[in-house]
PDB file of all heavy atoms in Angstrom:
ATOM      1  N   SER A 120     -61.042 -29.781 153.465  1.00  0.00           N
ATOM      2  CA  SER A 120     -61.116 -29.016 152.212  1.00  0.00           C
ATOM      3  C   SER A 120     -60.671 -27.576 152.435  1.00  0.00           C
ATOM      4  O   SER A 120     -59.958 -26.993 151.611  1.00  0.00           O
ATOM      5  CB  SER A 120     -62.545 -29.052 151.664  1.00  0.00           C
ATOM      6  OG  SER A 120     -62.932 -30.370 151.348  1.00  0.00           O
ATOM      7  N   ALA A 121     -61.062 -26.995 153.570  1.00  0.00           N
ATOM      8  CA  ALA A 121     -60.640 -25.632 153.895  1.00  0.00           C
ATOM      9  C   ALA A 121     -59.130 -25.550 154.052  1.00  0.00           C
ATOM     10  O   ALA A 121     -58.510 -24.543 153.697  1.00  0.00           O
ATOM     11  CB  ALA A 121     -61.329 -25.166 155.179  1.00  0.00           C
ATOM     12  N   SER A 122     -58.514 -26.627 154.563  1.00  0.00           N
ATOM     13  CA  SER A 122     -57.066 -26.612 154.776  1.00  0.00           C
ATOM     14  C   SER A 122     -56.303 -26.470 153.470  1.00  0.00           C
ATOM     15  O   SER A 122     -55.173 -25.980 153.461  1.00  0.00           O
ATOM     16  CB  SER A 122     -56.624 -27.900 155.487  1.00  0.00           C
ATOM     17  OG  SER A 122     -56.567 -29.006 154.599  1.00  0.00           O
ATOM     18  N   ALA A 123     -56.897 -26.904 152.383  1.00  0.00           N
ATOM     19  CA  ALA A 123     -56.256 -26.747 151.076  1.00  0.00           C
ATOM     20  C   ALA A 123     -56.642 -25.417 150.433  1.00  0.00           C
ATOM     21  O   ALA A 123     -55.783 -24.639 150.022  1.00  0.00           O
ATOM     22  CB  ALA A 123     -56.630 -27.908 150.153  1.00  0.00           C
ATOM     23  N   PHE A 124     -57.937 -25.135 150.358  1.00  0.00           N
ATOM     24  CA  PHE A 124     -58.382 -23.969 149.603  1.00  0.00           C
ATOM     25  C   PHE A 124     -57.986 -22.655 150.251  1.00  0.00           C
ATOM     26  O   PHE A 124     -57.494 -21.731 149.583  1.00  0.00           O
ATOM     27  CB  PHE A 124     -59.897 -24.014 149.419  1.00  0.00           C
ATOM     28  CG  PHE A 124     -60.451 -22.791 148.741  1.00  0.00           C
ATOM     29  CD1 PHE A 124     -60.042 -22.438 147.454  1.00  0.00           C
ATOM     30  CD2 PHE A 124     -61.353 -21.969 149.389  1.00  0.00           C
ATOM     31  CE1 PHE A 124     -60.540 -21.296 146.831  1.00  0.00           C
ATOM     32  CE2 PHE A 124     -61.855 -20.834 148.775  1.00  0.00           C
ATOM     33  CZ  PHE A 124     -61.441 -20.497 147.495  1.00  0.00           C
ATOM     34  N   LEU A 125     -58.160 -22.531 151.573  1.00  0.00           N
ATOM     35  CA  LEU A 125     -57.956 -21.236 152.224  1.00  0.00           C
ATOM     36  C   LEU A 125     -56.491 -20.847 152.353  1.00  0.00           C
ATOM     37  O   LEU A 125     -56.190 -19.707 152.716  1.00  0.00           O
ATOM     38  CB  LEU A 125     -58.632 -21.228 153.600  1.00  0.00           C
ATOM     39  CG  LEU A 125     -60.169 -21.328 153.574  1.00  0.00           C
ATOM     40  CD1 LEU A 125     -60.726 -21.326 154.979  1.00  0.00           C
ATOM     41  CD2 LEU A 125     -60.783 -20.202 152.745  1.00  0.00           C
ATOM     42  N   VAL A 126     -55.570 -21.766 152.063  1.00  0.00           N
ATOM     43  CA  VAL A 126     -54.144 -21.407 152.040  1.00  0.00           C
ATOM     44  C   VAL A 126     -53.567 -21.523 150.634  1.00  0.00           C
ATOM     45  O   VAL A 126     -52.356 -21.394 150.442  1.00  0.00           O
ATOM     46  CB  VAL A 126     -53.326 -22.285 153.017  1.00  0.00           C
ATOM     47  CG1 VAL A 126     -53.846 -22.135 154.430  1.00  0.00           C
ATOM     48  CG2 VAL A 126     -53.320 -23.753 152.597  1.00  0.00           C
ATOM     49  N   SER A 127     -54.421 -21.764 149.656  1.00  0.00           N
ATOM     50  CA  SER A 127     -53.974 -21.916 148.271  1.00  0.00           C
ATOM     51  C   SER A 127     -53.787 -20.550 147.621  1.00  0.00           C
ATOM     52  O   SER A 127     -54.255 -19.533 148.142  1.00  0.00           O
ATOM     53  CB  SER A 127     -55.004 -22.726 147.475  1.00  0.00           C
ATOM     54  OG  SER A 127     -56.125 -21.917 147.136  1.00  0.00           O
ATOM     55  N   PRO A 128     -53.143 -20.522 146.451  1.00  0.00           N
ATOM     56  CA  PRO A 128     -53.015 -19.254 145.735  1.00  0.00           C
ATOM     57  C   PRO A 128     -54.237 -18.912 144.885  1.00  0.00           C
ATOM     58  O   PRO A 128     -54.218 -17.927 144.150  1.00  0.00           O
ATOM     59  CB  PRO A 128     -51.788 -19.495 144.839  1.00  0.00           C
ATOM     60  CG  PRO A 128     -51.781 -20.961 144.595  1.00  0.00           C
ATOM     61  CD  PRO A 128     -52.336 -21.596 145.840  1.00  0.00           C
ATOM     62  N   PHE A 129     -55.324 -19.685 144.993  1.00  0.00           N
ATOM     63  CA  PHE A 129     -56.490 -19.528 144.130  1.00  0.00           C
ATOM     64  C   PHE A 129     -57.612 -18.783 144.857  1.00  0.00           C
ATOM     65  O   PHE A 129     -57.988 -19.148 145.976  1.00  0.00           O
ATOM     66  CB  PHE A 129     -57.022 -20.886 143.676  1.00  0.00           C
ATOM     67  CG  PHE A 129     -55.976 -21.816 143.109  1.00  0.00           C
ATOM     68  CD1 PHE A 129     -56.043 -23.177 143.346  1.00  0.00           C
ATOM     69  CD2 PHE A 129     -54.929 -21.320 142.335  1.00  0.00           C
ATOM     70  CE1 PHE A 129     -55.092 -24.045 142.819  1.00  0.00           C
ATOM     71  CE2 PHE A 129     -53.968 -22.174 141.807  1.00  0.00           C
ATOM     72  CZ  PHE A 129     -54.042 -23.549 142.061  1.00  0.00           C
ATOM     73  N   ASP A 130     -58.176 -17.770 144.220  1.00  0.00           N
ATOM     74  CA  ASP A 130     -59.352 -17.095 144.770  1.00  0.00           C
ATOM     75  C   ASP A 130     -60.612 -17.923 144.568  1.00  0.00           C
ATOM     76  O   ASP A 130     -61.578 -17.796 145.328  1.00  0.00           O
ATOM     77  CB  ASP A 130     -59.540 -15.724 144.111  1.00  0.00           C
ATOM     78  CG  ASP A 130     -58.448 -14.745 144.489  1.00  0.00           C
ATOM     79  OD1 ASP A 130     -57.935 -14.849 145.626  1.00  0.00           O
ATOM     80  OD2 ASP A 130     -58.089 -13.897 143.656  1.00  0.00           O
ATOM     81  N   GLU A 131     -60.591 -18.753 143.526  1.00  0.00           N
ATOM     82  CA  GLU A 131     -61.724 -19.615 143.231  1.00  0.00           C
ATOM     83  C   GLU A 131     -61.191 -20.941 142.707  1.00  0.00           C
ATOM     84  O   GLU A 131     -60.270 -20.972 141.898  1.00  0.00           O
ATOM     85  CB  GLU A 131     -62.655 -18.961 142.199  1.00  0.00           C
ATOM     86  CG  GLU A 131     -63.934 -19.730 141.957  1.00  0.00           C
ATOM     87  CD  GLU A 131     -64.895 -18.981 141.029  1.00  0.00           C
ATOM     88  OE1 GLU A 131     -64.423 -18.120 140.260  1.00  0.00           O
ATOM     89  OE2 GLU A 131     -66.102 -19.279 141.069  1.00  0.00           O
ATOM     90  N   ALA A 132     -61.758 -22.049 143.175  1.00  0.00           N
ATOM     91  CA  ALA A 132     -61.263 -23.360 142.755  1.00  0.00           C
ATOM     92  C   ALA A 132     -62.307 -24.426 143.035  1.00  0.00           C
ATOM     93  O   ALA A 132     -63.164 -24.281 143.917  1.00  0.00           O
ATOM     94  CB  ALA A 132     -59.957 -23.702 143.483  1.00  0.00           C
ATOM     95  N   ALA A 133     -62.221 -25.508 142.275  1.00  0.00           N
ATOM     96  CA  ALA A 133     -62.973 -26.713 142.601  1.00  0.00           C
ATOM     97  C   ALA A 133     -62.282 -27.411 143.764  1.00  0.00           C
ATOM     98  O   ALA A 133     -61.056 -27.341 143.906  1.00  0.00           O
ATOM     99  CB  ALA A 133     -63.039 -27.636 141.385  1.00  0.00           C
ATOM    100  N   LEU A 134     -63.080 -28.085 144.604  1.00  0.00           N
ATOM    101  CA  LEU A 134     -62.546 -28.715 145.807  1.00  0.00           C
ATOM    102  C   LEU A 134     -62.866 -30.201 145.800  1.00  0.00           C
ATOM    103  O   LEU A 134     -64.000 -30.597 145.507  1.00  0.00           O
ATOM    104  CB  LEU A 134     -63.150 -28.083 147.066  1.00  0.00           C
ATOM    105  CG  LEU A 134     -63.123 -26.552 147.153  1.00  0.00           C
ATOM    106  CD1 LEU A 134     -63.785 -26.083 148.436  1.00  0.00           C
ATOM    107  CD2 LEU A 134     -61.698 -26.029 147.066  1.00  0.00           C
ATOM    108  N   LEU A 135     -61.867 -31.012 146.132  1.00  0.00           N
ATOM    109  CA  LEU A 135     -62.048 -32.463 146.176  1.00  0.00           C
ATOM    110  C   LEU A 135     -61.330 -33.001 147.407  1.00  0.00           C
ATOM    111  O   LEU A 135     -60.113 -32.856 147.530  1.00  0.00           O
ATOM    112  CB  LEU A 135     -61.493 -33.112 144.909  1.00  0.00           C
ATOM    113  CG  LEU A 135     -61.560 -34.646 144.823  1.00  0.00           C
ATOM    114  CD1 LEU A 135     -63.006 -35.123 144.924  1.00  0.00           C
ATOM    115  CD2 LEU A 135     -60.923 -35.130 143.523  1.00  0.00           C
ATOM    116  N   CYS A 136     -62.080 -33.597 148.307  1.00  0.00           N
ATOM    117  CA  CYS A 136     -61.517 -34.210 149.511  1.00  0.00           C
ATOM    118  C   CYS A 136     -61.817 -35.706 149.481  1.00  0.00           C
ATOM    119  O   CYS A 136     -62.988 -36.100 149.427  1.00  0.00           O
ATOM    120  CB  CYS A 136     -62.111 -33.570 150.760  1.00  0.00           C
ATOM    121  SG  CYS A 136     -61.483 -34.278 152.310  1.00  0.00           S
ATOM    122  N   ILE A 137     -60.775 -36.527 149.488  1.00  0.00           N
ATOM    123  CA  ILE A 137     -60.934 -37.982 149.454  1.00  0.00           C
ATOM    124  C   ILE A 137     -60.185 -38.559 150.644  1.00  0.00           C
ATOM    125  O   ILE A 137     -58.976 -38.384 150.767  1.00  0.00           O
ATOM    126  CB  ILE A 137     -60.379 -38.591 148.152  1.00  0.00           C
ATOM    127  CG1 ILE A 137     -60.866 -37.816 146.929  1.00  0.00           C
ATOM    128  CG2 ILE A 137     -60.786 -40.050 148.030  1.00  0.00           C
ATOM    129  CD1 ILE A 137     -60.239 -38.278 145.631  1.00  0.00           C
ATOM    130  N   ASP A 138     -60.913 -39.263 151.497  1.00  0.00           N
ATOM    131  CA  ASP A 138     -60.309 -39.726 152.734  1.00  0.00           C
ATOM    132  C   ASP A 138     -60.838 -41.109 153.075  1.00  0.00           C
ATOM    133  O   ASP A 138     -61.653 -41.693 152.357  1.00  0.00           O
ATOM    134  CB  ASP A 138     -60.629 -38.734 153.850  1.00  0.00           C
ATOM    135  CG  ASP A 138     -59.549 -38.694 154.923  1.00  0.00           C
ATOM    136  OD1 ASP A 138     -58.623 -39.528 154.864  1.00  0.00           O
ATOM    137  OD2 ASP A 138     -59.634 -37.836 155.801  1.00  0.00           O
ATOM    138  N   TYR A 139     -60.360 -41.623 154.200  1.00  0.00           N
ATOM    139  CA  TYR A 139     -60.891 -42.867 154.755  1.00  0.00           C
ATOM    140  C   TYR A 139     -62.352 -42.629 155.139  1.00  0.00           C
ATOM    141  O   TYR A 139     -63.259 -43.218 154.593  1.00  0.00           O
ATOM    142  CB  TYR A 139     -60.041 -43.271 155.955  1.00  0.00           C
ATOM    143  CG  TYR A 139     -60.305 -44.655 156.499  1.00  0.00           C
ATOM    144  CD1 TYR A 139     -59.487 -45.725 156.141  1.00  0.00           C
ATOM    145  CD2 TYR A 139     -61.331 -44.890 157.383  1.00  0.00           C
ATOM    146  CE1 TYR A 139     -59.707 -47.000 156.643  1.00  0.00           C
ATOM    147  CE2 TYR A 139     -61.563 -46.151 157.899  1.00  0.00           C
ATOM    148  CZ  TYR A 139     -60.756 -47.206 157.524  1.00  0.00           C
ATOM    149  OH  TYR A 139     -60.980 -48.461 158.029  1.00  0.00           O
ATOM    150  N   VAL A 140     -62.565 -41.718 156.066  1.00  0.00           N
ATOM    151  CA  VAL A 140     -63.908 -41.279 156.421  1.00  0.00           C
ATOM    152  C   VAL A 140     -63.785 -40.085 157.361  1.00  0.00           C
ATOM    153  O   VAL A 140     -62.856 -39.997 158.158  1.00  0.00           O
ATOM    154  CB  VAL A 140     -64.730 -42.411 157.094  1.00  0.00           C
ATOM    155  CG1 VAL A 140     -64.135 -42.802 158.435  1.00  0.00           C
ATOM    156  CG2 VAL A 140     -66.194 -42.037 157.251  1.00  0.00           C
ATOM    157  N   GLY A 141     -64.714 -39.122 157.242  1.00  0.00           N
ATOM    158  CA  GLY A 141     -64.832 -38.064 158.232  1.00  0.00           C
ATOM    159  C   GLY A 141     -65.841 -38.525 159.272  1.00  0.00           C
ATOM    160  O   GLY A 141     -65.756 -39.646 159.773  1.00  0.00           O
ATOM    161  N   GLU A 142     -66.817 -37.662 159.614  1.00  0.00           N
ATOM    162  CA  GLU A 142     -67.895 -38.178 160.459  1.00  0.00           C
ATOM    163  C   GLU A 142     -68.624 -39.305 159.734  1.00  0.00           C
ATOM    164  O   GLU A 142     -68.899 -40.353 160.289  1.00  0.00           O
ATOM    165  CB  GLU A 142     -68.880 -37.062 160.824  1.00  0.00           C
ATOM    166  CG  GLU A 142     -68.412 -36.174 161.958  1.00  0.00           C
ATOM    167  CD  GLU A 142     -67.558 -35.019 161.467  1.00  0.00           C
ATOM    168  OE1 GLU A 142     -67.307 -34.936 160.249  1.00  0.00           O
ATOM    169  OE2 GLU A 142     -67.131 -34.201 162.305  1.00  0.00           O
ATOM    170  N   HIS A 143     -68.942 -39.072 158.490  1.00  0.00           N
ATOM    171  CA  HIS A 143     -69.561 -40.104 157.657  1.00  0.00           C
ATOM    172  C   HIS A 143     -69.205 -39.945 156.185  1.00  0.00           C
ATOM    173  O   HIS A 143     -69.482 -40.820 155.380  1.00  0.00           O
ATOM    174  CB  HIS A 143     -71.092 -40.091 157.818  1.00  0.00           C
ATOM    175  CG  HIS A 143     -71.706 -38.746 157.537  1.00  0.00           C
ATOM    176  ND1 HIS A 143     -71.864 -37.793 158.519  1.00  0.00           N
ATOM    177  CD2 HIS A 143     -72.184 -38.200 156.403  1.00  0.00           C
ATOM    178  CE1 HIS A 143     -72.418 -36.706 157.986  1.00  0.00           C
ATOM    179  NE2 HIS A 143     -72.623 -36.925 156.710  1.00  0.00           N
ATOM    180  N   THR A 144     -68.579 -38.837 155.818  1.00  0.00           N
ATOM    181  CA  THR A 144     -68.280 -38.556 154.418  1.00  0.00           C
ATOM    182  C   THR A 144     -66.901 -39.089 154.051  1.00  0.00           C
ATOM    183  O   THR A 144     -65.925 -38.844 154.754  1.00  0.00           O
ATOM    184  CB  THR A 144     -68.341 -37.042 154.142  1.00  0.00           C
ATOM    185  OG1 THR A 144     -69.623 -36.556 154.517  1.00  0.00           O
ATOM    186  CG2 THR A 144     -68.088 -36.752 152.678  1.00  0.00           C
ATOM    187  N   ALA A 145     -66.829 -39.814 152.926  1.00  0.00           N
ATOM    188  CA  ALA A 145     -65.556 -40.346 152.436  1.00  0.00           C
ATOM    189  C   ALA A 145     -65.020 -39.522 151.262  1.00  0.00           C
ATOM    190  O   ALA A 145     -63.811 -39.357 151.126  1.00  0.00           O
ATOM    191  CB  ALA A 145     -65.718 -41.804 152.016  1.00  0.00           C
ATOM    192  N   THR A 146     -65.914 -39.036 150.411  1.00  0.00           N
ATOM    193  CA  THR A 146     -65.520 -38.186 149.280  1.00  0.00           C
ATOM    194  C   THR A 146     -66.421 -36.958 149.266  1.00  0.00           C
ATOM    195  O   THR A 146     -67.655 -37.091 149.325  1.00  0.00           O
ATOM    196  CB  THR A 146     -65.631 -38.945 147.952  1.00  0.00           C
ATOM    197  OG1 THR A 146     -64.723 -40.054 147.966  1.00  0.00           O
ATOM    198  CG2 THR A 146     -65.289 -38.045 146.775  1.00  0.00           C
ATOM    199  N   TRP A 147     -65.814 -35.788 149.206  1.00  0.00           N
ATOM    200  CA  TRP A 147     -66.538 -34.514 149.274  1.00  0.00           C
ATOM    201  C   TRP A 147     -66.097 -33.654 148.099  1.00  0.00           C
ATOM    202  O   TRP A 147     -64.906 -33.439 147.900  1.00  0.00           O
ATOM    203  CB  TRP A 147     -66.210 -33.840 150.592  1.00  0.00           C
ATOM    204  CG  TRP A 147     -67.001 -32.622 150.992  1.00  0.00           C
ATOM    205  CD1 TRP A 147     -68.069 -32.578 151.821  1.00  0.00           C
ATOM    206  CD2 TRP A 147     -66.743 -31.251 150.613  1.00  0.00           C
ATOM    207  NE1 TRP A 147     -68.498 -31.287 151.989  1.00  0.00           N
ATOM    208  CE2 TRP A 147     -67.709 -30.454 151.252  1.00  0.00           C
ATOM    209  CE3 TRP A 147     -65.802 -30.639 149.784  1.00  0.00           C
ATOM    210  CZ2 TRP A 147     -67.754 -29.076 151.109  1.00  0.00           C
ATOM    211  CZ3 TRP A 147     -65.850 -29.255 149.628  1.00  0.00           C
ATOM    212  CH2 TRP A 147     -66.810 -28.493 150.289  1.00  0.00           C
ATOM    213  N   MET A 148     -67.059 -33.183 147.316  1.00  0.00           N
ATOM    214  CA  MET A 148     -66.741 -32.320 146.180  1.00  0.00           C
ATOM    215  C   MET A 148     -67.473 -30.996 146.343  1.00  0.00           C
ATOM    216  O   MET A 148     -68.645 -30.962 146.725  1.00  0.00           O
ATOM    217  CB  MET A 148     -67.137 -32.983 144.859  1.00  0.00           C
ATOM    218  CG  MET A 148     -66.411 -34.287 144.594  1.00  0.00           C
ATOM    219  SD  MET A 148     -66.451 -34.790 142.851  1.00  0.00           S
ATOM    220  CE  MET A 148     -68.197 -34.922 142.559  1.00  0.00           C
ATOM    221  N   GLY A 149     -66.751 -29.924 146.060  1.00  0.00           N
ATOM    222  CA  GLY A 149     -67.369 -28.625 146.244  1.00  0.00           C
ATOM    223  C   GLY A 149     -66.685 -27.544 145.430  1.00  0.00           C
ATOM    224  O   GLY A 149     -65.887 -27.814 144.529  1.00  0.00           O
ATOM    225  N   ARG A 150     -67.010 -26.333 145.815  1.00  0.00           N
ATOM    226  CA  ARG A 150     -66.481 -25.153 145.132  1.00  0.00           C
ATOM    227  C   ARG A 150     -66.059 -24.150 146.196  1.00  0.00           C
ATOM    228  O   ARG A 150     -66.770 -23.927 147.175  1.00  0.00           O
ATOM    229  CB  ARG A 150     -67.574 -24.559 144.226  1.00  0.00           C
ATOM    230  CG  ARG A 150     -67.150 -23.320 143.449  1.00  0.00           C
ATOM    231  CD  ARG A 150     -68.361 -22.721 142.737  1.00  0.00           C
ATOM    232  NE  ARG A 150     -67.955 -21.737 141.741  1.00  0.00           N
ATOM    233  CZ  ARG A 150     -68.192 -21.841 140.444  1.00  0.00           C
ATOM    234  NH1 ARG A 150     -68.851 -22.887 139.985  1.00  0.00           N
ATOM    235  NH2 ARG A 150     -67.783 -20.913 139.606  1.00  0.00           N
ATOM    236  N   GLY A 151     -64.886 -23.554 146.013  1.00  0.00           N
ATOM    237  CA  GLY A 151     -64.418 -22.521 146.914  1.00  0.00           C
ATOM    238  C   GLY A 151     -64.355 -21.188 146.210  1.00  0.00           C
ATOM    239  O   GLY A 151     -63.893 -21.106 145.062  1.00  0.00           O
ATOM    240  N   GLN A 152     -64.831 -20.160 146.887  1.00  0.00           N
ATOM    241  CA  GLN A 152     -64.804 -18.813 146.311  1.00  0.00           C
ATOM    242  C   GLN A 152     -64.579 -17.819 147.440  1.00  0.00           C
ATOM    243  O   GLN A 152     -65.367 -17.770 148.386  1.00  0.00           O
ATOM    244  CB  GLN A 152     -66.119 -18.521 145.588  1.00  0.00           C
ATOM    245  CG  GLN A 152     -66.103 -17.248 144.751  1.00  0.00           C
ATOM    246  CD  GLN A 152     -67.342 -17.150 143.878  1.00  0.00           C
ATOM    247  OE1 GLN A 152     -68.372 -17.743 144.160  1.00  0.00           O
ATOM    248  NE2 GLN A 152     -67.246 -16.389 142.798  1.00  0.00           N
ATOM    249  N   GLY A 153     -63.460 -17.085 147.354  1.00  0.00           N
ATOM    250  CA  GLY A 153     -63.138 -16.156 148.431  1.00  0.00           C
ATOM    251  C   GLY A 153     -62.851 -16.921 149.712  1.00  0.00           C
ATOM    252  O   GLY A 153     -61.887 -17.676 149.791  1.00  0.00           O
ATOM    253  N   THR A 154     -63.714 -16.732 150.715  1.00  0.00           N
ATOM    254  CA  THR A 154     -63.576 -17.481 151.969  1.00  0.00           C
ATOM    255  C   THR A 154     -64.731 -18.460 152.174  1.00  0.00           C
ATOM    256  O   THR A 154     -64.873 -19.037 153.247  1.00  0.00           O
ATOM    257  CB  THR A 154     -63.529 -16.508 153.170  1.00  0.00           C
ATOM    258  OG1 THR A 154     -64.744 -15.748 153.199  1.00  0.00           O
ATOM    259  CG2 THR A 154     -62.332 -15.573 153.065  1.00  0.00           C
ATOM    260  N   ARG A 155     -65.522 -18.664 151.137  1.00  0.00           N
ATOM    261  CA  ARG A 155     -66.689 -19.548 151.235  1.00  0.00           C
ATOM    262  C   ARG A 155     -66.403 -20.882 150.566  1.00  0.00           C
ATOM    263  O   ARG A 155     -65.806 -20.951 149.492  1.00  0.00           O
ATOM    264  CB  ARG A 155     -67.923 -18.910 150.591  1.00  0.00           C
ATOM    265  CG  ARG A 155     -68.425 -17.656 151.285  1.00  0.00           C
ATOM    266  CD  ARG A 155     -69.671 -17.106 150.612  1.00  0.00           C
ATOM    267  NE  ARG A 155     -70.777 -18.048 150.647  1.00  0.00           N
ATOM    268  CZ  ARG A 155     -71.235 -18.691 149.576  1.00  0.00           C
ATOM    269  NH1 ARG A 155     -70.679 -18.509 148.393  1.00  0.00           N
ATOM    270  NH2 ARG A 155     -72.258 -19.516 149.695  1.00  0.00           N
ATOM    271  N   LEU A 156     -66.887 -21.964 151.213  1.00  0.00           N
ATOM    272  CA  LEU A 156     -66.814 -23.302 150.655  1.00  0.00           C
ATOM    273  C   LEU A 156     -68.233 -23.834 150.500  1.00  0.00           C
ATOM    274  O   LEU A 156     -69.032 -23.783 151.453  1.00  0.00           O
ATOM    275  CB  LEU A 156     -66.017 -24.249 151.564  1.00  0.00           C
ATOM    276  CG  LEU A 156     -64.488 -24.135 151.525  1.00  0.00           C
ATOM    277  CD1 LEU A 156     -64.002 -22.884 152.237  1.00  0.00           C
ATOM    278  CD2 LEU A 156     -63.851 -25.370 152.155  1.00  0.00           C
ATOM    279  N   GLN A 157     -68.542 -24.330 149.330  1.00  0.00           N
ATOM    280  CA  GLN A 157     -69.890 -24.789 149.027  1.00  0.00           C
ATOM    281  C   GLN A 157     -69.856 -26.255 148.622  1.00  0.00           C
ATOM    282  O   GLN A 157     -69.090 -26.653 147.733  1.00  0.00           O
ATOM    283  CB  GLN A 157     -70.493 -23.949 147.895  1.00  0.00           C
ATOM    284  CG  GLN A 157     -71.858 -24.434 147.418  1.00  0.00           C
ATOM    285  CD  GLN A 157     -72.315 -23.703 146.171  1.00  0.00           C
ATOM    286  OE1 GLN A 157     -71.591 -22.853 145.640  1.00  0.00           O
ATOM    287  NE2 GLN A 157     -73.498 -24.040 145.687  1.00  0.00           N
ATOM    288  N   LEU A 158     -70.670 -27.082 149.255  1.00  0.00           N
ATOM    289  CA  LEU A 158     -70.777 -28.494 148.910  1.00  0.00           C
ATOM    290  C   LEU A 158     -71.543 -28.658 147.609  1.00  0.00           C
ATOM    291  O   LEU A 158     -72.586 -28.039 147.412  1.00  0.00           O
ATOM    292  CB  LEU A 158     -71.491 -29.253 150.038  1.00  0.00           C
ATOM    293  CG  LEU A 158     -71.897 -30.701 149.737  1.00  0.00           C
ATOM    294  CD1 LEU A 158     -70.662 -31.588 149.581  1.00  0.00           C
ATOM    295  CD2 LEU A 158     -72.819 -31.242 150.829  1.00  0.00           C
ATOM    296  N   ILE A 159     -71.001 -29.508 146.731  1.00  0.00           N
ATOM    297  CA  ILE A 159     -71.708 -29.869 145.503  1.00  0.00           C
ATOM    298  C   ILE A 159     -72.295 -31.271 145.620  1.00  0.00           C
ATOM    299  O   ILE A 159     -73.476 -31.495 145.367  1.00  0.00           O
ATOM    300  CB  ILE A 159     -70.775 -29.762 144.283  1.00  0.00           C
ATOM    301  CG1 ILE A 159     -70.393 -28.305 144.036  1.00  0.00           C
ATOM    302  CG2 ILE A 159     -71.425 -30.363 143.037  1.00  0.00           C
ATOM    303  CD1 ILE A 159     -69.410 -28.099 142.904  1.00  0.00           C
ATOM    304  N   SER A 160     -71.468 -32.232 146.005  1.00  0.00           N
ATOM    305  CA  SER A 160     -71.952 -33.602 146.185  1.00  0.00           C
ATOM    306  C   SER A 160     -70.969 -34.358 147.053  1.00  0.00           C
ATOM    307  O   SER A 160     -69.817 -33.938 147.236  1.00  0.00           O
ATOM    308  CB  SER A 160     -72.141 -34.310 144.837  1.00  0.00           C
ATOM    309  OG  SER A 160     -70.969 -34.232 144.060  1.00  0.00           O
ATOM    310  N   ALA A 161     -71.416 -35.505 147.570  1.00  0.00           N
ATOM    311  CA  ALA A 161     -70.581 -36.286 148.476  1.00  0.00           C
ATOM    312  C   ALA A 161     -70.929 -37.755 148.363  1.00  0.00           C
ATOM    313  O   ALA A 161     -72.011 -38.129 147.901  1.00  0.00           O
ATOM    314  CB  ALA A 161     -70.765 -35.806 149.919  1.00  0.00           C
ATOM    315  N   ARG A 162     -69.978 -38.586 148.795  1.00  0.00           N
ATOM    316  CA  ARG A 162     -70.175 -40.039 148.867  1.00  0.00           C
ATOM    317  C   ARG A 162     -69.801 -40.468 150.275  1.00  0.00           C
ATOM    318  O   ARG A 162     -68.710 -40.140 150.765  1.00  0.00           O
ATOM    319  CB  ARG A 162     -69.293 -40.757 147.843  1.00  0.00           C
ATOM    320  CG  ARG A 162     -69.737 -42.195 147.557  1.00  0.00           C
ATOM    321  CD  ARG A 162     -70.945 -42.182 146.642  1.00  0.00           C
ATOM    322  NE  ARG A 162     -71.335 -43.539 146.276  1.00  0.00           N
ATOM    323  CZ  ARG A 162     -72.327 -44.210 146.862  1.00  0.00           C
ATOM    324  NH1 ARG A 162     -72.974 -43.670 147.880  1.00  0.00           N
ATOM    325  NH2 ARG A 162     -72.669 -45.416 146.451  1.00  0.00           N
TER     326      ARG A 162
END
């Protein structure tokens, strides 16, 4: 999620990461603001 938000042109954005699997997370939803990423919910 950081790879998208921290190089994007947006200072603030909703974040959505959908993958096969990370450590255990397959879908991650959050909010990015400045240099901070905040988890909202996950599957």
